[in-house]
Amino acid sequence: MEKLKFLECLSKQYPNIDSAATEIINLQSILNLPKGTEHFLSDIHGEYKAFSHVLRNGSGAVMKKIDDVFGDTLFDDQKEDLASLIYYPSEKLQYIKSIGKADSSWYRTTLYRLVSVCQIVSSKYTRSKVRKAMPENFRYVIEELITEKKEVLNKKAYYDEIINTIIEIGCADDFIVDISNLIQRLVIDHLHIIGDIYDRGYGSHFVMDSLMSYHSLDIQWGNHDVLWMGAFAGQTACIANIVRTSLLYDNLSVLENGYGISMMPLVLFAMETYADDSCTQFAIRSRHSNDMDTQTKLAMKMQKAITIIQFKLEGQLIKKHPEYKMDNRCLLDKINLQNGTVTIDGKEYDMLDCNFPTISLDNPYKLTDEEQLVIDKLASSFMHCSKLKKHINLLLQKGGLYKVCNDNLLFHGCIPMNSDGTFRMINLFGKDLCGKDLYNQLERSARKAFFAVDEEEKQLGRDILWFLWNGPDSPLYGRDKMTTFERYFVEDNETHKEVKDIYYQLINDENIVNKIFKMFGIESENAHIINGHVPIHHMEGESPIKCNGKVIIIDGGFSQPYHKVTGIAGYTLIYNSYGLMLTAHEPFKSVDDTIRNGIDMQTNRVASEVSQKRILVGDTDNGKEIRENIKDLKELIQAYRNGAIRQNQRS
């Protein structure tokens, strides 16, 4: 009975045998096409220019297609010029005109080359899918140019006429822009973001704007992403962390210009409360210690003010949730102002700063009225920001804590484990959970911050978002503690250490990795774990490939502060019909350099895993869904034929 009801619903979309049969033929043909290219990026951290360029060049996929088309028939500089035009068509056109090269001969040659590239990048898709991706203005023209027309006897004359007409009527510029964007669109079929879009860099909001319009993607939340989710939901400890980090990395522009969140309440409070405090422990990372202008001094005072507010709010949360097991992060009550010391894990340390005018010895975690007013105003700004709402909605709609896709397990941080290789049991919700069950429960709880009706449930969801940011059992954070307090106030570097979860050692053990695959229901011999979060120290010889290729960590340091440590500017992963290819990127110079000189972001292939046979759509998760759809359509046809469902024969 249930099956019949389902088939009746399906019959509304396919009202007769002919329509169902046509769709079966279409789906069957798709199964035999090469699989689309998947693109994996991680730990973008607001580095918009580098991120945007990697999206435009498909981590080298565009240049690979140019090589495939032209081989040795073009010089390297000609290929680079063509590639830079595809990446930045409007800007490149403007430059070509400025140097006087944009004559009819250049346009004709360029249009033919672009059409040739477009032909090859569209060849792995159905004509219907390519048509949907085409720009509306030139849809018919592009389709004519990239489609083989066997019935045309003089093909050269036919295509020449189209190209000449485009140039003659003054549409060449618009056509170049549209076909270049189409090539970018078709080179990458699906984008995976493995967490940490936000913080550190200046352009997190620009990255999110790009993702808002991207044709096909999923996002695995990183701990920096859930921090922003918590802030939008009104979790004040998350808000304080974001403001403090923005001040530390000198990127308040994301808050003020990107999201329109005013810092004026914090400015006024910091100027008054810390007027006579030099706040030397709160230096701005991008500014030299000798560069102590008025703006820098104010930023340091603001950073100290919000840091103390953060520690108070976090102390309140930790006492409210003993299940978080974070008592060792409550340090304000361990300060001895008389001696100028703090006791951490039973050991006493000298404090680098003891000026705390807002901390009460009787109740160190209570906000003053002025501090409460500051955080309330900030919370109101975060919660009522329409642009942030759109971006957080994208994270909720396209994102989650993990994803299994084509036998690849994607997550940002780690699977919490014990040293003996067992999954660590964690009790946050009244029962012991580990691995996949823990991930599922944490995601359900996090979503309640936005969708629950009961206010208590919503508040628990908000608090879980903060826990996911820095909790010792958080699979997104993956360290024993976040030593923010120690880094500000204690000189001893031993106190600054944050011990990584044992997972990062155990992933070199194939038995452990296979246990993880089994827990997440992955049985393929070609399975992989793909995650980020922990930068690979390339300069020290560390490899992003673990466990004989079964684990790939793709955080190579997109973020500029990591470049000195990692020695590169990030890893990206491509998974196409031929297999996997991991690429290391050098720091991106500038868009202008790419446009003027054709200089692309320098990339080096780190590793590749070539499939024994070309991977088809039928071999993917999408192929499984298509086969299910074909099965349902065949049952619908049978129901039409045996009279169980009446056909709607349209004339």
Side-chain angles (χ1 to χ4, degrees):
M1 182 61 72
E2 287 185 9
K3 187 66 176 182
L4 186 61
K5 286 182 179 179
F6 168 74
L7 293 176
E8 285 174 346
C9 289
L10 192 61
S11 70
K12 293 176 182 177
Q13 189 173 357
Y14 304 99
N16 50 53
I17 290 175
D18 288 346
S19 61
T22 299
E23 182 63 7
I24 289 173
I25 295 167
N26 176 50
L27 293 175
Q28 194 66 51
S29 68
I30 292 173
L31 289 175
N32 293 288
L33 289 171
K35 79 173 284 295
T37 298
E38 298 172 68
H39 196 189
F40 300 79
L41 283 77
S42 174
D43 296 85
I44 298 153
H45 284 302
E47 297 294 341
Y48 173 68
K49 286 184 179 177
F51 165 78
S52 176
H53 187 76
V54 167
L55 276 196
R56 291 168 186 267
N57 77 357
S59 288
V62 170
M63 182 57 83
K64 174 68 168 58
K65 294 299 182 183
I66 291 173
D67 277 331
D68 289 345
V69 174
F70 298 107
D72 296 330
T73 63
L74 292 182
F75 294 113
D76 287 346
D77 60 339
Q78 292 175 309
K79 294 177 186 177
E80 288 164 357
D81 263 347
L82 181 60
S84 64
L85 177 66
I86 292 170
Y87 306 156
Y88 303 101
S90 298
E91 296 86 344
K92 185 77 173 186
L93 278 167
Q94 187 176 355
Y95 172 69
I96 292 294
K97 289 177 181 179
S98 72
I99 61 174
K101 284 180 60 178
D103 56 18
S104 59
S105 175
W106 180 87
Y107 274 113
R108 190 173 294 105
T109 300
T110 299
L111 288 171
Y112 266 114
R113 288 173 181 173
L114 288 171
V115 168
S116 296
V117 176
C118 195
Q119 283 175 330
I120 195 170
V121 299
S122 63
S123 62
K124 65 163 63 176
Y125 303 111
T126 62
R127 189 174 296 183
S128 172
K129 184 167 183 174
V130 174
R131 189 180 298 119
K132 289 175 184 176
M134 287 178 182
E136 190 172 340
N137 290 341
F138 292 105
R139 183 171 295 162
Y140 170 77
V141 178
I142 293 174
E143 190 166 9
E144 285 295 297
L145 287 169
I146 67 173
T147 303
E148 178 68 23
K149 301 184 78 64
K150 295 179 180 178
E151 69 276 13
V152 176
L153 297 177
N154 191 340
K155 294 183 177 63
K156 186 177 185 307
Y158 178 77
Y159 294 126
D160 278 347
E161 191 61 34
I162 296 175
I163 294 292
N164 289 333
T165 304
I166 291 170
I167 297 168
E168 182 183 322
I169 64 176
C171 290
D173 284 3
D174 291 338
F175 185 85
I176 286 171
V177 171
D178 281 352
I179 197 169
S180 295
N181 290 333
L182 177 61
I183 290 167
Q184 288 183 40
R185 160 69 178 80
L186 295 175
V187 162
I188 300 299
D189 191 44
H190 188 83
L191 176 66
H192 303 282
I193 303 292
I194 320 292
D196 278 1
I197 296 164
Y198 278 99
D199 292 331
R200 296 199 181 99
Y202 75 97
S204 302
H205 54 302
F206 295 130
V207 174
M208 289 300 298
D209 283 341
S210 296
L211 295 178
M212 289 281 293
S213 59
Y214 203 78
H215 57 272
S216 180
L217 81 154
D218 55 73
I219 303 167
Q220 283 60 65
W221 301 334
N223 60 317
H224 287 266
D225 305 321
V226 295
L227 188 67
W228 281 76
M229 291 165 66
F232 175 71
Q235 176 26 265
T236 52
C238 292
I239 292 168
N241 269 280
I242 288 171
V243 175
R244 178 189 62 80
T245 305
S246 298
L247 285 158
L248 176 64
Y249 287 96
D250 199 17
N251 62 357
L252 275 183
S253 62
V254 174
L255 290 172
E256 294 182 314
N257 302 330
Y259 290 114
I261 295 172
S262 173
M263 292 293 109
M264 191 54 66
L266 180 61
V267 168
L268 297 174
F269 171 75
M271 287 175 65
E272 181 178 349
T273 307
Y274 298 95
D276 301 322
D277 190 335
S278 62
C279 301
T280 54
Q281 291 306 118
F282 296 85
I284 311 302
R285 290 204 175 177
S286 65
R287 302 189 189 184
H288 196 273
S289 57
N290 295 327
D291 182 22
M292 294 295 287
D293 57 19
T294 302
Q295 187 179 13
T296 302
K297 291 177 181 177
L298 176 58
M300 291 166 70
K301 295 180 192 300
M302 291 168 65
Q303 189 183 162
K304 181 170 183 178
I306 198 65
T307 299
I308 300 305
I309 291 172
Q310 174 191 317
F311 291 151
K312 288 184 175 185
L313 293 169
E314 290 181 335
Q316 294 172 19
L317 268 177
I318 291 165
K319 292 180 183 300
K320 177 183 174 184
H321 293 286
E323 70 274 18
Y324 292 176
K325 298 177 184 176
M326 296 178 67
D327 286 345
N328 64 343
R329 296 295 82 210
C330 288
L331 295 172
L332 295 185
D333 59 330
K334 309 297 190 302
I335 297 173
N336 186 325
L337 289 179
Q338 186 176 355
N339 296 338
T341 61
V342 62
T343 301
I344 302 173
D345 295 330
K347 186 176 179 180
E348 197 170 51
Y349 297 90
D350 290 333
M351 293 276 289
L352 295 170
D353 183 348
C354 286
N355 183 33
F356 304 118
T358 69
I359 295 178
S360 166
L361 295 178
D362 296 330
N363 191 354
Y365 298 103
K366 186 178 188 301
L367 295 175
T368 65
D369 291 343
E370 294 78 11
E371 286 174 325
Q372 188 67 57
L373 186 61
V374 168
I375 200 65
D376 286 346
K377 288 183 176 180
L378 287 171
S380 179
S381 295
F382 271 89
M383 294 170 70
H384 295 98
C385 175
S386 58
K387 185 169 186 175
L388 183 58
K389 179 180 181 180
K390 291 177 182 177
H391 290 171
I392 298 305
N393 281 341
L394 181 71
L395 291 175
L396 290 166
Q397 292 163 11
K398 298 292 186 179
L401 287 180
Y402 75 93
K403 184 178 182 66
V404 176
C405 180
N406 295 330
D407 296 322
N408 294 317
L409 173 58
L410 319 179
F411 55 82
H412 178 68
C414 70
I415 307 293
M417 304 195 80
N418 300 310
S419 57
D420 64 357
T422 57
F423 297 106
R424 188 157 77 248
M425 289 292 181
I426 296 167
N427 193 321
L428 293 170
F429 309 98
K431 56 183 176 180
D432 289 337
L433 296 171
C434 68
K436 182 180 179 181
D437 290 338
L438 175 67
Y439 264 98
N440 288 338
Q441 185 59 56
L442 284 168
E443 182 172 332
R444 283 195 292 267
S445 183
R447 290 184 182 277
K448 288 180 181 179
F450 306 94
F451 304 118
V453 176
D454 181 73
E455 183 52 40
E456 187 176 341
E457 289 272 293
K458 282 189 108 158
Q459 187 57 54
L460 287 172
R462 295 186 194 110
D463 294 351
I464 278 294
L465 287 165
W466 175 80
F467 169 83
L468 285 167
W469 153 245
N470 69 345
D473 287 325
S474 164
L476 298 189
Y477 182 55
R479 295 183 177 92
D480 65 332
K481 57 182 175 293
M482 188 176 285
T483 58
T484 307
F485 182 97
E486 292 88 335
R487 291 171 187 269
Y488 279 120
F489 296 120
V490 181
E491 187 173 13
D492 189 341
N493 286 332
E494 284 297 311
T495 67
H496 302 176
K497 289 183 178 179
E498 299 168 349
V499 180
K500 290 190 290 187
D501 195 278
I502 196 70
Y503 161 87
Y504 292 102
Q505 296 178 36
L506 295 176
I507 52 176
N508 284 301
D509 185 327
E510 199 161 340
N511 291 325
I512 299 295
V513 171
N514 287 337
K515 279 173 60 177
I516 294 173
F517 287 145
K518 184 177 180 181
M519 170 170 275
F520 283 85
I522 303 172
E523 298 178 354
S524 171
E525 288 294 318
N526 298 315
H528 305 87
I529 292 173
I530 302 171
N531 68 300
H533 185 53
V534 177
I536 296 297
H537 290 214
H538 179 79
M539 290 177 70
E540 298 173 10
E542 184 181 4
S543 172
I545 307 295
K546 314 289 183 183
C547 195
N548 298 318
K550 289 197 170 187
V551 179
I552 306 171
I553 298 179
I554 61 171
D555 181 6
F558 249 107
S559 181
Q560 285 192 22
Y562 281 142
H563 290 180
K564 292 180 181 178
V565 178
T566 62
I568 56 172
Y571 292 106
T572 56
L573 185 69
I574 289 289
Y575 182 28
N576 59 25
S577 59
Y578 295 102
L580 288 160
M581 183 178 71
L582 183 68
T583 300
H585 299 272
E586 298 297 322
F588 180 59
K589 291 183 178 180
S590 71
V591 173
D592 189 61
D593 200 26
T594 301
I595 292 165
R596 289 177 175 274
N597 305 312
I599 303 299
D600 204 347
M601 176 186 277
Q602 295 301 303
T603 60
N604 300 294
R605 185 178 296 187
V606 175
S608 59
E609 182 179 295
V610 180
S611 175
Q612 292 182 348
K613 65 179 184 67
R614 196 167 189 193
I615 306 167
L616 305 179
V617 172
D619 302 316
T620 67
D621 291 346
N622 188 34
K624 294 174 186 176
E625 292 180 14
I626 289 173
R627 285 194 180 88
E628 284 296 315
N629 292 339
I630 290 172
K631 180 174 175 289
D632 291 335
L633 287 165
K634 286 181 176 179
E635 290 181 7
L636 177 61
I637 289 174
Q638 186 60 38
Y640 283 142
R641 284 178 172 154
N642 63 26
I645 297 176
R646 185 182 300 173
Q647 289 190 75
N648 180 7
Q649 296 288 2
R650 294 172 180 172
S651 57

